[in-house]
Amino acid sequence: MDSKTLCLGALMLGDASGYEIKKTFEDGPFSFFHQTSFGSIYPSLGKLTEQGHVTCDEHEQDGRPDKKVYSLTDSGRAAFIKALTVKPKHDRIRSESMYMLFFAQLLDSGHVHKVFEGYLQGLRHNIETLSNLNDDGISPSRLFVRGFGKAFYEAGIKYMEENRHMVLNDDAVSAGEKS
Amino acid sequence: MDSKTLCLGALMLGDASGYEIKKTFEDGPFSFFHQTSFGSIYPSLGKLTEQGHVTCDEHEQDGRPDKKVYSLTDSGRAAFIKALTVKPKHDRIRSESMYMLFFAQLLDSGHVHKVFEGYLQGLRHNIETLSNLNDDGISPSRLFVRGFGKAFYEAGIKYMEENRHMVLNDDAVSAGEKS
DNA sequence: ACCGGCATGTAACGGGTTACATGATTTT
DNA sequence: AAAATCATGTAACCCGTTACATGCCGGT
């Protein structure tokens, strides 16, 4: 799935600028299963405009560059649906943190600790992000995906909290006193 | 984390050929949080050999090309540990299936059905893969990572089974009869 | 007979990340 | 005073995927 399709999907949620599309992938409903960067969004929007899949309204602004708000056209909507009507590729996950924790016995325990806590915090942050989304009037399938993300992350948090002793062999010490 | 580090990690589990390293990322303990392809493994092994991080033993074989079995050197082990002693990047997940399910209401229900069932099957397959691994004599941190993967996938399966009605609006019909 | 598994490797192509370039305004 | 937010865009580079090239063996 290329960056253009990702942009079309973001615009299915409503007109938006490139900047706002990026936020959708950071804080919005796609945050837990996709990510993009400006370097791919802006060129994609350019190509989509050429192809007639989106139109662009420029709003002048004080000081800042003009805000370019993109809207889907019928052809864009059709292209989006067509792009989604293929066999999906398998999920691709890359987790450096898990790779590090796997090799925890080789690493400095301070570092392992940081990685562990950082990962936990990341999971909590992701749940918060999903929980902050407004669910009013959202279709069941969208709620399903949100719920799936939450279920995933919650299971991860629960597991980590219950099994921290497997990676961190200092809990008894660091919990009480430091000497 | 580049492909070279990934190869070093695979070799930490024992000497292996490029072909076997790939299997480690497909069926082995890394399967759920990383993936690679021959196109990146073979060149990486070449570079690592040049750098002295691995050595290579060639075993002649009947018919097949020689099997090149790589082993870590001390310098390789040190390089690996150094590569892991940095702040990990955030997990990167890309799930085309979830993207499709999010937009289920736009898509042909037959296709949605296929995506849903395919995804569920994929989760089950992942759990099976993790369950087939031999846990004997494995360090706690490695078991932790395995358990994390299982907890993740199990939560996903449970959620999908309990909430299928949110995406699939044909369960009552298709469950009983087909007319 | 054909497909899948074993086994290594190269090359091109595509694509995305990162960094750079610019700059005002608001928050800390 | 510095950092973050808003806002767009380009370019280079890295790197990985995909496809190609080759070939035997075992199972169906």
Side-chain angles (χ1 to χ4, degrees):
Chain A
M1 173 137 26
D2 56 28
S3 178
K4 278 188 290 180
T5 308
L6 259 19
C7 288
L8 289 175
L11 292 176
M12 285 293 310
L13 309 180
D15 298 349
S17 65
Y19 190 85
E20 287 162 346
I21 288 175
K22 199 190 169 218
K23 276 202 298 179
T24 300
F25 283 93
E26 261 168 14
D27 307 311
F30 305 143
S31 58
F32 96 88
F33 56 90
H34 266 292
Q35 39 278 134
T36 26
S37 55
F38 288 134
S40 59
I41 291 172
Y42 286 125
S44 293
L45 288 171
K47 281 174 216 154
L48 288 169
T49 308
E50 278 174 38
Q51 294 173 346
H53 292 329
V54 302
T55 55
C56 173
D57 262 0
E58 275 179 69
H59 298 260
E60 278 182 48
Q61 292 189 138
D62 40 310
R64 300 185 217 280
D66 291 0
K67 186 172 182 176
K68 292 176 155 190
V69 176
Y70 294 87
S71 314
L72 279 175
T73 62
D74 287 336
S75 114
R77 230 166 271 122
F80 181 62
I81 290 173
K82 199 182 161 194
L84 292 198
T85 309
V86 295
K87 197 184 169 196
K89 287 189 203 145
H90 288 143
D91 286 10
R92 180 152 296 165
I93 302 180
R94 22 190 61 200
S95 178
E96 298 200 349
S97 299
M98 279 295 142
Y99 203 66
M100 290 177 184
L101 294 179
F102 186 87
F103 291 107
Q105 80 271 5
L106 297 174
L107 305 174
D108 172 72
S109 83
H111 181 242
V112 172
H113 212 278
K114 264 186 252 166
V115 171
F116 189 95
E117 295 301 338
Y119 196 77
L120 238 184
Q121 237 182 297
L123 292 177
R124 292 201 186 103
H125 175 258
N126 288 338
I127 287 204
E128 216 193 300
T129 301
L130 285 173
S131 300
N132 284 341
L133 296 173
N134 182 4
D135 287 348
D136 298 344
I138 295 300
S139 74
S141 57
R142 298 189 183 182
L143 284 178
F144 171 85
V145 172
R146 263 172 223 194
F148 185 84
K150 282 190 209 169
F152 236 64
Y153 291 133
E154 268 155 21
I157 291 173
K158 186 164 172 259
Y159 181 84
M160 286 186 87
E161 284 172 347
E162 284 170 2
N163 296 284
R164 48 167 70 231
H165 60 275
M166 294 176 82
V167 222
L168 274 21
N169 31 16
D170 52 356
D171 37 6
V173 180
S174 69
E177 349 106 58
K178 38 183 161 177
S179 70
Chain B
M1 173 135 31
D2 56 30
S3 178
K4 278 188 290 182
T5 308
L6 258 18
C7 288
L8 290 175
L11 293 175
M12 287 291 311
L13 307 181
D15 298 349
S17 65
Y19 191 84
E20 287 162 348
I21 290 176
K22 200 191 170 215
K23 275 202 299 180
T24 300
F25 283 94
E26 261 169 14
D27 306 312
F30 304 144
S31 59
F32 96 88
F33 56 91
H34 265 294
Q35 39 278 133
T36 26
S37 55
F38 287 134
S40 59
I41 290 172
Y42 287 123
S44 293
L45 288 171
K47 282 176 214 154
L48 288 168
T49 307
E50 278 174 38
Q51 295 172 347
H53 291 329
V54 302
T55 55
C56 174
D57 263 358
E58 275 178 70
H59 298 260
E60 278 183 47
Q61 293 192 136
D62 40 312
R64 301 183 217 281
D66 290 1
K67 187 171 181 177
K68 293 177 155 188
V69 176
Y70 294 87
S71 313
L72 278 175
T73 63
D74 287 339
S75 116
R77 231 165 269 120
F80 181 62
I81 289 172
K82 200 182 160 197
L84 293 198
T85 309
V86 296
K87 197 183 170 199
K89 287 188 203 149
H90 287 143
D91 285 8
R92 180 154 295 164
I93 303 179
R94 21 191 64 202
S95 179
E96 298 199 347
S97 300
M98 278 296 144
Y99 203 67
M100 289 177 185
L101 293 179
F102 186 88
F103 291 108
Q105 80 273 3
L106 297 174
L107 304 174
D108 171 72
S109 84
H111 181 242
V112 171
H113 213 277
K114 264 185 252 168
V115 171
F116 189 95
E117 295 302 338
Y119 197 76
L120 238 184
Q121 237 183 297
L123 293 176
R124 291 200 186 105
H125 174 259
N126 289 337
I127 288 204
E128 216 193 300
T129 301
L130 285 173
S131 300
N132 284 340
L133 296 173
N134 182 4
D135 287 350
D136 297 344
I138 295 300
S139 74
S141 56
R142 296 188 184 183
L143 284 178
F144 171 85
V145 172
R146 263 170 224 195
F148 186 84
K150 283 189 211 168
F152 238 65
Y153 290 133
E154 269 156 21
I157 290 172
K158 185 164 172 260
Y159 181 84
M160 285 186 87
E161 284 172 346
E162 284 171 2
N163 295 283
R164 47 169 72 232
H165 61 275
M166 292 175 84
V167 221
L168 275 20
N169 30 18
D170 52 354
D171 37 7
V173 179
S174 68
E177 350 108 56
K178 36 184 164 177
S179 68

